[in-house]
Amino acid sequence: MARNMQIKVGINTTVPNDDSGFKFRDVMWGGQWKPSNCRSKDKVALIVPYRHREDHLRIFLRHMHSFLQLQSIDYTIFVIEQVDEFPFNRAALLNSGFIEAQKQAVYDCFIFHDVDLLPEDLRNLYLCPPIRRARHLTVAIDTFNYTLPYSQLVGGALVMRRIDFQRVNGFSNLFWGWGGEDDEMHTRMLIKSIRVIRYKSSISRYTMLKHPSARRNPNRFLLMTQSFRRYKNDGLTSLKYDLEGVVRKKLYTIVRVKLKFVNTTMTFHNRHYNKGGR
């Protein structure tokens, strides 16, 4: 595998509309790939929450297939699309992806990854962390001047082993709209003694694709204060959704879900939120 190398981020280059595979002829249907000349250390599922970001998805797929293959990773890309009319719920989509991916194969770890973030350095390995460790990948993003905004941040792209994600009961399902679900996940990891690890900022560098800002969830701070008493009953064990379909396209497996709306301690209406995805 190539090391100590930066990879070019082509943000204006997209794959064809028909998902024909472009130059990735060796990618198996469903967005699966594994090296033919060696055995990958881990089998990895990349879980991408999604709604209304077609251009970003095309750019992401082209970049990530190249990136992961240069790292000789055994991987599958799952795109989890929210097809209901409720506000975007990133955390519930990630929980859904975790459950549905395991119906397809046995994975050692899961990378929960936003569609608008592209890694720049091949030393930023998309491999599994040790048990009771979670690797936060997106340490240095260009829009934040390549610095980590605060030490508790685990948003953007996070890698967890299957057993550790189950230990924390996944993400909370109550964060409808933008913000808060990642900080709440950090609290869950503290409760279960799962330590956040990171590569140094000169390695964990990312380009963020431009997108309009979403409205912030006004309930996020209240929800974050309730983590200690709520995490056992709010997460994988309480997730409710209707599976609308699983389709293996050339470059990814798309999982379409309708989430079941669950009200939080404050009443709010759909119109208060930006319905766009990430």
Side-chain angles (χ1 to χ4, degrees), residues 133-153:
R133 300 288 186 272
R135 177 170 286 114
H136 179 225
L137 293 171
T138 46
V139 176
I141 302 174
D142 61 342
T143 54
F144 300 127
N145 296 316
Y146 291 107
T147 59
L148 183 68
Y150 54 95
S151 61
Q152 295 83 17
L153 180 64

Side-chain angles (χ1 to χ4, degrees), residues 69-81:
Q69 289 177 24
L70 286 169
Q71 291 189 348
S72 297
I73 306 291
D74 180 348
Y75 68 89
T76 303
I77 296 178
F78 293 91
V79 175
I80 318 302
E81 182 179 15

Side-chain angles (χ1 to χ4, degrees), residues 1-124:
M1 185 195 72
R3 293 183 182 273
N4 301 314
M5 290 178 58
Q6 291 189 344
I7 185 170
K8 184 178 180 180
V9 177
I11 62 174
N12 296 317
T13 306
T14 61
V15 298
N17 290 339
D18 61 1
D19 297 327
S20 60
F22 195 59
K23 64 180 180 179
F24 304 111
R25 294 188 178 89
D26 54 346
V27 173
M28 294 176 281
W29 281 91
Q32 304 174 64
W33 187 88
K34 60 182 178 181
S36 58
N37 58 350
C38 65
R39 183 175 180 179
S40 178
K41 177 183 176 183
D42 301 311
K43 189 175 182 67
V44 176
L46 198 71
I47 309 295
V48 183
Y50 173 80
R51 184 161 66 178
H52 306 323
R53 292 285 185 90
E54 185 177 358
D55 289 342
H56 284 181
L57 180 59
R58 293 179 195 163
I59 297 168
F60 179 85
L61 290 169
R62 177 171 185 175
H63 185 83
M64 292 308 303
H65 278 295
S66 293
F67 183 85
L68 295 171
Q69 289 177 24
L70 286 169
Q71 291 189 348
S72 297
I73 306 291
D74 180 348
Y75 68 89
T76 303
I77 296 178
F78 293 91
V79 175
I80 318 302
E81 182 179 15
Q82 183 175 341
V83 296
D84 54 62
E85 292 300 315
F86 298 128
F88 191 69
N89 190 325
R90 176 180 181 270
L93 292 177
L94 295 175
N95 286 342
S96 304
F98 176 80
I99 290 172
E100 293 300 325
Q102 291 181 94
K103 296 177 182 178
Q104 309 299 317
V106 177
Y107 294 98
D108 298 305
C109 64
F110 298 79
I111 303 180
F112 304 102
H113 206 301
D114 287 348
V115 73
D116 55 8
L117 291 169
L118 308 177
E120 300 178 7
D121 196 306
L122 289 169
R123 295 172 295 172
N124 187 9

Side-chain angles (χ1 to χ4, degrees), residues 259-273:
L259 301 175
K260 299 290 188 179
F261 186 78
V262 179
N263 233 337
T264 60
T265 54
M266 287 183 163
T267 302
F268 52 91
H269 191 273
N270 293 358
R271 65 185 172 83
H272 291 165
Y273 291 89

Side-chain angles (χ1 to χ4, degrees), residues 95 167-173 175 181 183-194 227-228 230-236:
N95 286 342
R167 277 193 181 105
V168 300
N169 197 21
F171 287 89
S172 167
N173 299 311
F175 286 83
E181 76 282 347
D183 291 330
E184 208 262 6
M185 168 56 81
H186 184 267
T187 300
R188 291 175 180 236
M189 291 191 288
L190 286 176
I191 294 170
K192 303 304 289 187
S193 300
I194 297 172
S227 299
F228 282 89
R230 200 188 62 239
Y231 81 95
K232 291 183 180 180
N233 301 312
D234 169 27
L236 294 173

Side-chain angles (χ1 to χ4, degrees), residues 41-42 108-110 127-135 159-161 164 195 197:
K41 177 183 176 183
D42 301 311
D108 298 305
C109 64
F110 298 79
L127 292 172
C128 301
I131 295 291
R132 289 198 179 273
R133 300 288 186 272
R135 177 170 286 114
V159 194
M160 296 184 72
R161 286 190 173 270
D164 287 329
R195 199 178 104 203
I197 57 176

